[in-house]
Amino acid sequence: MENKLTARRLAIVPTTNCSLKCRLCCDFLNGPVERRDIPFEEVCRDVDACFELIDHVEWLQFVGGEVFVYRDFPKLLDYARKYRDRFDRLIIETNGTVFPKEDGQAAILAYGGDITIMVSDYGELSRACGQFVAFAEEHQIDIRLKKYHGEDQYYDGWIDNNDPHDLKEPGDVLEVNAKNCPQYICRNMHCFNGKLYRCSNSCFMQEMGLFPPKDGDFVDLRDGSRTVEEKREIIGEFYTRARRSCRYCKFKYIGVLPRHPAAEQL
């Protein structure tokens, strides 16, 4: 019997549009990566393709950009419920700047107790944070606030992963260091615009055209020339070795890098 393929975290990215413009945006939305919406029908097709390849997902996440600026986000939440028996929990990541309208609230409530809203709280910038907290308390929804303002910021603040370039680590050193990356530890797969990547940095570094695509570093969900089995094999090997993006990424040094105040605006 074929082994089941389980994803610890599967993040769907329907938009790179955002309500903020952060100087140290870890997804490079401060210039290098184009801000845009992926059409609703295409996102749904990608969700279908992911669940065709992956048997079970522990955390199905929706991330941006900022997901609550995506016009069709309520419809997308509703659509994902067709796979409700295939994932343990739905996670919404938000910067707390935009509170959903009634249709968005209803789509959230349809998940009952199986949803978590994770709010990156940037103080005055996260002007809707209080609404999220009140909504969660009223409806007994799990909410997690990551404090990114003032003193004692979450993880002591942000790192600077801007200006990515080849760090020229020897192969054996790269392999060791890459295993320290939180993206590797969390197995944080990202799906964006028809492709499935092993992490957000691999996704957005590829999106900004930092290096040519390399076979096996991602799965082209819309590529009909590969079989389901071939695509599953690539996913199964996502975390067996460092990838090209790891050569350019400083996340693997997160334990020793200096911290900066979060969400400083351009």
Side-chain angles (χ1 to χ4, degrees):
M1 182 178 177
E2 186 178 11
N3 291 331
K4 284 191 174 183
L5 184 59
T6 296
R8 185 178 298 176
R9 295 187 181 186
L10 173 60
I12 308 297
V13 186
T15 184
T16 50
N17 280 313
C18 189
S19 50
L20 298 177
K21 192 172 184 180
C22 300
R23 182 175 67 86
L24 297 180
C25 177
C26 63
D27 293 335
F28 312 107
L29 303 183
N30 48 8
V33 172
E34 179 187 1
R35 294 187 175 210
R36 59 189 171 123
D37 287 345
I38 305 302
F40 172 70
E41 293 78 12
E42 293 183 17
V43 181
C44 292
R45 184 170 61 176
D46 292 343
V47 170
D48 291 340
C50 284
F51 278 100
E52 181 183 15
L53 299 173
I54 300 170
D55 297 301
H56 190 78
V57 176
E58 293 179 8
W59 281 12
L60 178 64
Q61 302 171 267
F62 285 106
V63 304
E66 169 53 45
V67 291
F68 286 111
V69 304
Y70 185 62
R71 181 183 61 185
D72 292 319
F73 190 47
K75 290 165 55 180
L76 186 55
L77 288 175
D78 288 340
Y79 188 81
R81 285 171 54 211
K82 69 183 287 188
Y83 296 107
R84 187 61 202 87
D85 62 337
R86 302 272 299 281
F87 61 89
D88 294 336
R89 193 160 197 85
L90 186 81
I91 311 293
I92 298 176
E93 293 269 4
T94 177
N95 60 25
T97 61
V98 180
F99 189 70
K101 297 179 181 178
E102 289 185 3
D103 56 346
Q105 295 174 39
I108 291 171
L109 294 176
Y111 282 88
D114 297 328
I115 191 169
T116 296
I117 302 174
M118 292 191 176
V119 182
S120 293
D121 179 7
Y122 300 122
E124 292 182 359
L125 292 173
S126 299
R127 50 192 174 274
C129 186
Q131 289 176 277
F132 278 106
V133 171
F135 177 75
E137 290 178 349
E138 178 182 356
H139 299 286
Q140 297 184 314
I141 293 172
D142 184 42
I143 188 169
R144 310 288 176 90
L145 300 181
K146 294 180 283 189
K147 180 177 177 288
Y148 281 119
H149 60 92
E151 302 296 325
D152 301 319
Q153 293 193 15
Y154 187 72
Y155 274 94
D156 298 321
W158 283 3
I159 66 167
D160 184 354
N161 199 32
N162 278 234
D163 187 29
H165 57 277
D166 191 343
L167 301 172
K168 299 187 182 303
E169 298 163 284
D172 55 343
V173 175
L174 175 64
E175 290 295 339
V176 172
N177 288 338
K179 289 182 171 57
N180 294 322
C181 178
Q183 299 273 357
Y184 168 86
I185 294 169
C186 292
R187 303 295 201 266
N188 196 22
M189 294 184 200
H190 272 58
C191 172
F192 177 66
N193 195 28
K195 296 180 176 64
L196 180 65
Y197 302 85
R198 78 176 215 154
C199 73
S200 62
N201 292 321
S202 178
C203 171
F204 291 114
M205 286 182 182
Q206 187 74 65
E207 183 69 14
M208 66 193 286
L210 193 61
F211 39 74
K214 184 177 181 181
D215 190 49
D217 276 4
F218 63 91
V219 171
D220 187 340
L221 299 171
R222 303 172 189 173
D223 179 9
S225 68
R226 288 191 187 271
T227 66
V228 168
E229 291 72 21
E230 289 172 330
K231 292 178 181 179
R232 283 170 59 92
E233 183 177 357
I234 293 172
I235 297 170
E237 294 180 355
F238 266 173
Y239 304 102
T240 59
R241 64 186 185 280
R243 303 298 169 145
R244 183 172 296 183
S245 58
C246 300
R247 301 185 64 88
Y248 294 75
C249 185
K250 290 176 279 191
F251 262 53
K252 54 186 178 289
Y253 305 134
I254 198 167
V256 296
L257 287 176
R259 295 306 199 267
H260 305 270
E264 290 184 334
Q265 297 297 287
L266 292 172

